[in-house]
Amino acid sequence: MWYVINGADVEDSLERRLAVRAAHLERLQQLLNEGRLLLAGPCPAVDSNDPGPAGFTGSLIVAEFDSLEEAQAWADADPYVTAGVYASVSVKPFRKVLP
C-alpha cells in the first residue's frame, strides 16, 4: 500500500537539512530503485523553486510499504528525523486514484 510521509521542519532548519541531505536522498533513491517511490520533495518556505536562505517548511514523500508500521519505522529512521530537521512526522495510508 502507498503511504504519505509528511515531515514538518523546525524553525531555521536549512543548515541541518544541508548537512544530512545526501543521506536522506540516498534512502529515497533506494525506494526509487525498488519501484516503491511515487513522489518526494521539499516544501519551500517561499513561493519559489529555489527558496535560498528562506529554506523549507517540510517534505512530502509518497512511497509503498507492506504496512503502516513499516512505513512509520522507515520514516522514524530518516536522517532528517535523527538530525533534528523535522519537528514532527506524520505517516498515513494513501490510496492513489489519479493519474
Side-chain angles (χ1 to χ4, degrees):
M1 178 167 206
W2 295 106
Y3 293 88
V4 172
I5 300 169
N6 191 358
D9 282 25
V10 298
E11 290 289 321
D12 299 316
S13 63
L14 187 58
E15 189 175 314
R16 292 183 205 183
R17 265 184 174 267
L18 294 175
V20 295
R21 184 171 187 261
H24 171 75
L25 292 177
E26 185 177 315
R27 294 179 84 234
L28 291 171
Q29 185 63 51
Q30 181 179 357
L31 289 176
L32 182 63
N33 293 347
E34 295 169 358
R36 298 171 46 206
L37 183 65
L38 184 62
L39 65 89
C43 301
V46 294
D47 191 12
S48 173
N49 281 328
D50 181 4
F56 301 91
T57 61
S59 302
L60 179 71
I61 300 165
V62 180
E64 189 174 32
F65 294 93
D66 290 334
S67 67
L68 178 59
E69 293 77 20
E70 184 183 322
Q72 186 68 60
W74 187 92
D76 290 345
D78 191 278
Y80 283 178
V81 171
T82 58
V85 173
Y86 292 152
S88 64
V89 178
S90 69
V91 180
K92 297 179 181 181
F94 177 76
R95 187 172 68 106
K96 183 178 183 275
V97 175
L98 294 171

